Amino acid sequence: MFRPKVPTNPAPTGIVTPLTTVPAAIVQQAQDQAPMPVAPAAPARPTVQLTPGSVVALVGSGTAVVLVVGAVLVSMLLAVAITGASLAICALVIRSLITAEHKRR
């Protein structure tokens, strides 16, 4: 059940071409030719040159990213803290209502 079954093909489908042999004259002629010259390797990628303007741009963009990510994380933490405080206040109010109801009886 978990083992794949490989289908068998008893007879070939489509057009079957017989194998052909290469005459010896062609093989000899191919061996006599000089090898093709090898193309020189592509030059290495140029190095990045930082100008003072690009350094300022990189520092500015990095600072902006850090500030944006920090603001998002702080706002998420604040949202969790506000939610927890409001749930705690709701729990205290409900508990006080329940105890007040028990004292009346």
Side-chain angles (χ1 to χ4, degrees):
M1 179 172 144
F2 293 110
R3 293 184 181 168
K5 294 183 180 179
V6 179
T8 57
N9 193 5
T13 58
I15 301 172
V16 178
T17 57
L19 295 175
T20 58
T21 58
V22 178
I26 295 175
V27 173
Q28 184 64 29
Q29 182 182 7
Q31 290 176 351
D32 290 341
Q33 292 179 351
M36 295 289 292
V38 178
R45 292 177 20 184
T47 58
V48 176
Q49 296 179 355
L50 296 176
T51 61
S54 63
V55 170
V56 170
L58 284 175
V59 169
S61 62
T63 304
V65 167
V66 166
L67 290 176
V68 168
V69 169
V72 168
L73 291 177
V74 167
S75 65
M76 289 172 60
L77 180 64
L78 187 61
V80 169
I82 291 172
T83 303
S86 64
L87 284 175
I89 292 171
C90 289
L92 288 175
V93 169
I94 290 172
R95 188 175 81 174
S96 67
L97 288 175
I98 290 173
T99 55
E101 183 68 30
H102 285 298
K103 288 182 179 179
R104 288 186 193 170
R105 291 184 183 183

